[in-house]
Amino acid sequence: ILIDAVPESLVIGFIVAARTRNPLIFVVAVYLSNFPEALASAATMKAVGLTHMRIMTLWSATCLITGVGAAIGAEIIPEGGIQGDFQQLVTGMEGLAAGAMLTMIAQTMLPEAIE
């Protein structure tokens, strides 16, 4: 969650608050990248004996944390918008989120593809 969901949620908040881009495009990209990861993770959790309730609780907590992260991302944007030093922070966070997406997809899907 720390390397994947938090940067993604902050970027969603940045995009929504800045109103410079359409947030729907990024949200759909996050959904499409996270769906296979969630599916494979849920199957693994079920295979090791976690109950449906426990799995749903874990994924619900992830959704809640992501929502809070997006709210924080939207709230911390300065009055002047995304510019100057804050622009560098946003750009770095977008790069971290993109790298995290690729890493999590590779970590989850490559072992599945080999089998």
Side-chain angles (χ1 to χ4, degrees):
I1 289 175
L2 186 60
I3 191 130
D4 190 23
V6 173
E8 291 170 355
S9 63
L10 288 173
V11 171
I12 290 170
F14 295 156
I15 292 171
V16 169
R19 295 187 177 115
T20 56
R21 294 179 276 180
N22 185 354
L24 182 63
I25 295 167
F26 186 75
V27 170
V28 168
V30 168
Y31 173 79
L32 290 175
S33 72
N34 287 342
F35 185 74
E37 173 191 340
L39 192 61
S41 297
T44 302
M45 286 186 241
K46 184 66 176 163
V48 297
L50 270 68
T51 64
H52 286 304
M53 182 62 134
R54 178 76 175 164
I55 294 169
M56 289 303 294
T57 301
L58 289 169
W59 286 118
S60 297
T62 302
C63 289
L64 182 66
I65 291 168
T66 302
V68 169
I72 291 170
E75 195 61 34
I76 65 173
I77 290 195
E79 289 294 322
I82 298 176
Q83 56 190 354
D85 290 338
F86 195 76
Q87 175 64 42
Q88 291 178 345
L89 172 72
V90 171
T91 302
M93 194 61 67
E94 287 175 347
L96 181 63
M101 281 184 200
L102 292 174
T103 300
M104 298 307 285
I105 290 170
Q107 179 186 12
T108 304
M109 299 310 294
L110 289 179
E112 296 288 327
I114 293 171
E115 293 175 13

